[in-house]
Amino acid sequence: MSAAIGRPRSVDFDVARIRRDFPILNEQVNGKPLVYLDSAASSQRPRAVIEAIDNYYEHDHANVHRGVHTLSQRATDAYEGARETVRGFINARSTREIIYVRGTTEAINLVAQSYARPLLQPGDEILISALEHHANIVPWQIVCGQTGAQLKVIPISQTGEVDFAAFERLIGPRTRLLALAHISNALGTIVPVERFIARAKELKIPVLLDGAQAVPHSIVDVQALDCDFYCFSAHKMVGPTGIGVLYGRESLLEAMPPWQGGGDMILSVTFEKTTYNQLPWKFEAGTPDIAGAIGMAAGIRYLQGIGMERIAAYEHELLEYATARLSAIPGLRIIGTSPHKAAVVSFTMAGIHPHDIGTILDTEGVAVRTGHHCAMPVMDFFKVPATARASLSFYNTFEEIDRLVAALEHARKLLG
Amino acid sequence: MDLKDLYRDVIVDHNRHPRNFGKLDPADAHADGFNPLCGDRLTVYVNLDGENIEEAKFEGSGCAISVASASLLTEAVKGKSRAEVRELFDEVHAVLTQHDANVDPSRLGKLAALSGVREFPARVKCASLCWHTLNAALDRATAPVTTE
Ligand SMILES: Cc1ncc(COP(=O)(O)O)c(C=O)c1O
């Protein structure tokens, strides 16, 4: 098959070298070299992350904040050192603003229950958009149910952009929080959150950003953004599963009650009275995911070693190439066509259900996600039951996009 | 894994041209089926003549396997008694999930085309959704069934 669309040349991006850092990219799937195009669901890990975790378990493991012995000290230093790495990565003012959680989902639930729930009165409003992941919908529905507040939804356009004019009409005196995705996982849209935040700030309304898809692919600076909460997951940014971060503005976190009780989150306990620990530990009850924090920090250092600007630039080239090649396939419709997109291409094919696309691609070694991408309202909006989604990362190549296209042509012959 | 084994000609044909597609109105019973993983949605309608299925139709959207399976089902169950349908379901299920299924292929007729699905475990639910939905209709269940 001839590629009518030329591949851009990425002069200063040595993807072959980068790929050698990711052992899993050598896997064969169904007898073919793996083409992993599902990084938006979960990225792969470089050896540096795997080794950091191994090394911790082999040399440093003990519980944190609980002992004077050497290993406990080492574990605590590594765990708290990782917090400083995270702080620097998103440019928070202080490590007191970096709360370890299980991931984006838990971060949003924490804010819903600990920040929003005590504050919300019947008739108050939480504002989200129509392109949110279920993780940024359901926690708000729960807290609305608990308090009598209402969930308001900013509509999106046919290109998959959040309607700013509608937002200006919807935000108002009853709005208590604006919660927006920074980048949509189902559509790839980069939401121009700066504009939304600026308007919310004029009205003194706090803003939470779901950064699960943004942090792995761009520079995120929470001070420059001026958001109040920022949530993300390590496993989407070459780190381990089971850990993520809630960034919160210190003054807000300070005023919030703890979410869970237990060890580590207290200073003193009697049966009459318990004094809670300071930030950030007030929100970290129980033995934390120590290895996860260390692995996440190793992942961040790995990304920083390449440089987030270079990652973003290369991924943009991949996106443009993939968009051009996929658009040329007859009957293929790209869902999510904002001019500002991360390297996510969601699509449908005439007469072929996404689930069949997924199976056919898998037999060719090509891994894409098919389904509703935890964004059923987005599927409803575009009137599709599901899409297939190729999500690209800096370890992907132009040749892999060609393999995707060839596999899609195969699907078309078989079922189209 | 050979795709040709999954997407056999019978399957491709029934996906492109589903038989008994549409609503039965009035219907003695119907039920909705939903596979949340891939978004397949089916409604199966039946009209009964005593213990026997007089007619079965379906509507909805789904992948090739779920549509073809539903189409094949509506043909296969016509004229069968409830007890025969249950037996047939057990046999289809065995063929979908077991390599050494002790089922006489001649009893399955065109449904035997679904046997390739067992090489693709992620797709078994697609093929079985319509059968669960039919059972729900026969039980006069009104609550949607899911494959989860
Ligand atoms: C935009 C977005 N928000 C939230 C989440 C939830 O992340 P996690 O499952 O890691 O909690 C995801 C990941 O699927 C996502 O893409």
Side-chain angles (χ1 to χ4, degrees):
Chain A
M1 217 187 53
S2 71
I5 299 130
R7 290 178 193 154
R9 274 278 145 77
S10 285
V11 263
D12 74 336
F13 203 83
D14 189 352
V15 69
R17 216 191 84 210
I18 283 169
R19 289 177 68 82
R20 285 198 289 278
D21 294 337
F22 288 79
I24 206 167
L25 298 180
N26 294 322
E27 282 296 298
Q28 300 273 317
V29 170
N30 295 319
K32 315 261 168 58
L34 167 69
V35 175
Y36 188 75
L37 304 179
D38 196 19
S39 294
S42 196
S43 69
Q44 298 297 351
R45 286 105 198 79
R47 200 172 279 106
V49 169
I50 299 166
E51 283 173 359
I53 295 169
D54 277 359
N55 192 57
Y56 164 71
Y57 279 129
E58 283 173 16
H59 300 289
D60 302 327
H61 172 69
N63 213 328
V64 290
H65 304 139
R66 302 199 181 174
V68 294
H69 64 78
T70 301
L71 288 190
S72 178
Q73 280 301 322
R74 276 198 219 150
T76 305
D77 289 350
Y79 178 71
E80 293 302 333
R83 202 188 302 271
E84 170 56 24
T85 303
V86 174
R87 185 208 62 74
F89 186 54
I90 60 168
N91 194 31
R93 286 165 211 86
S94 144
T95 51
R96 290 189 298 279
E97 300 181 319
I98 305 296
I99 317 287
Y100 291 133
V101 288
R102 268 196 312 128
T104 310
T105 304
E106 189 172 80
I108 298 172
N109 277 279
L110 194 164
V111 175
Q113 290 302 313
S114 177
Y115 175 75
R117 189 176 179 183
L119 174 107
L120 291 176
Q121 299 292 324
D124 282 350
E125 293 167 5
I126 301 279
L127 190 55
I128 63 172
S129 89
L131 56 63
E132 303 306 324
H133 186 281
H134 296 163
N136 200 26
I137 302 174
V138 184
W140 306 119
Q141 288 174 328
I142 292 173
V143 76
C144 285
Q146 289 161 335
T147 59
Q150 283 196 325
L151 189 62
K152 296 278 174 181
V153 183
I154 312 164
I156 55 174
S157 69
Q158 285 299 324
T159 55
E161 287 164 288
V162 184
D163 183 338
F164 191 77
F167 158 72
E168 289 195 296
R169 288 193 297 277
L170 282 165
I171 194 164
R174 297 311 299 265
T175 311
R176 293 288 168 265
L177 185 81
L178 170 65
L180 281 183
H182 197 172
I183 292 181
S184 154
N185 65 308
L187 302 168
T189 315
I190 302 175
V191 180
V193 291
E194 295 80 358
R195 284 181 78 195
F196 291 81
I197 295 171
R199 179 70 188 124
K201 292 284 127 171
E202 284 169 15
L203 301 171
K204 303 207 163 27
I205 292 165
V207 181
L208 173 144
L209 294 181
D210 169 356
Q213 296 295 338
V215 167
H217 307 289
S218 53
I219 294 175
V220 170
D221 178 333
V222 292
Q223 291 190 61
L225 284 168
D226 199 23
C227 58
D228 299 279
F229 298 105
Y230 199 97
C231 313
F232 57 98
S233 306
H235 71 95
K236 295 188 197 280
M237 43 183 273
V238 309
T241 56
I243 189 155
V245 171
L246 169 65
Y247 157 81
R249 195 185 289 280
E250 189 171 345
S251 55
L252 294 181
L253 292 175
E254 203 59 78
M256 285 158 55
W259 189 44
Q260 295 177 326
D264 270 346
M265 55 74 72
I266 49 84
L267 287 180
S268 72
V269 175
T270 68
F271 287 115
E272 287 71 41
K273 184 172 169 46
T274 290
T275 310
Y276 302 136
N277 204 341
Q278 299 159 343
L279 290 175
W281 306 290
K282 180 171 88 174
F283 292 105
E284 295 178 5
T287 300
D289 185 355
I290 308 164
I294 290 164
M296 171 163 63
I300 289 172
R301 283 192 298 275
Y302 180 83
L303 293 175
Q304 288 171 328
I306 301 171
M308 293 313 293
E309 291 101 334
R310 292 179 61 224
I311 286 175
Y314 177 69
E315 288 180 350
H316 190 70
E317 289 180 12
L318 289 176
L319 171 69
E320 299 221 303
Y321 183 66
T323 305
R325 296 270 352 241
L326 292 185
S327 305
I329 296 176
L332 189 144
R333 171 186 174 207
I334 294 180
I335 309 279
T337 48
S338 162
H340 304 289
K341 270 183 68 172
V344 168
V345 189
S346 243
F347 59 93
T348 59
M349 285 174 91
I352 314 179
H353 191 277
H355 212 182
D356 296 308
I357 298 176
T359 294
I360 296 168
L361 263 49
D362 186 57
T363 59
E364 301 286 327
V366 179
V368 299
R369 171 121 185 236
T370 58
H372 52 64
H373 315 293
C374 296
M376 286 188 183
V378 173
M379 303 295 113
D380 292 342
F381 176 77
F382 287 100
K383 297 190 171 57
V384 293
T387 72
R389 178 187 70 186
S391 55
L392 304 156
S393 183
F394 60 90
Y395 44 70
N396 289 125
T397 65
F398 297 101
E399 291 76 11
E400 288 182 309
I401 294 168
D402 293 341
R403 292 243 337 255
L404 166 68
V405 171
L408 290 173
E409 290 291 358
H410 185 59
R412 221 160 61 79
K413 284 205 193 79
L414 207 60
L415 291 183
Chain B
M1 290 200 303
D2 188 355
L3 277 178
K4 281 276 170 228
D5 217 34
L6 181 64
Y7 298 111
R8 295 184 190 175
D9 292 344
V10 175
I11 305 277
V12 171
D13 174 43
H14 277 253
N15 175 48
R16 284 206 184 116
H17 312 288
R19 320 296 200 270
N20 302 308
F21 188 83
K23 198 171 174 157
L24 259 187
D25 192 13
D28 290 335
H30 65 92
D32 298 323
F34 180 43
N35 180 346
L37 194 67
C38 45
D40 294 345
R41 277 176 201 278
L42 297 174
T43 305
V44 174
Y45 303 90
V46 284
N47 274 333
L48 298 168
D49 175 11
E51 270 300 288
N52 289 344
I53 294 182
E54 198 177 54
E55 194 173 12
K57 291 183 85 169
F58 81 104
E59 60 182 3
S61 72
C63 63
I65 303 303
S66 72
V67 170
S69 179
S71 172
L72 290 164
L73 168 144
T74 56
E75 288 192 333
V77 300
K78 196 171 171 172
K80 290 205 165 56
S81 71
R82 285 164 180 264
E84 286 168 336
V85 166
R86 269 174 224 281
E87 246 172 60
L88 189 59
F89 175 47
D90 288 343
E91 288 171 346
V92 170
H93 197 262
V95 162
L96 286 175
T97 53
Q98 301 162 21
H99 273 275
D100 49 358
N102 189 13
V103 177
D104 176 1
S106 67
R107 284 179 48 83
L108 288 178
K110 279 198 239 166
L111 288 169
L114 290 167
S115 63
V117 173
R118 68 175 165 239
E119 304 299 332
F120 298 80
R123 306 305 300 276
V124 171
K125 285 177 175 179
C126 308
S128 57
L129 176 65
C130 57
W131 287 91
H132 291 294
T133 311
L134 173 69
N135 281 341
L138 290 177
D139 292 344
R140 310 267 167 146
T142 42
V145 299
T146 86
T147 54
E148 295 306 294

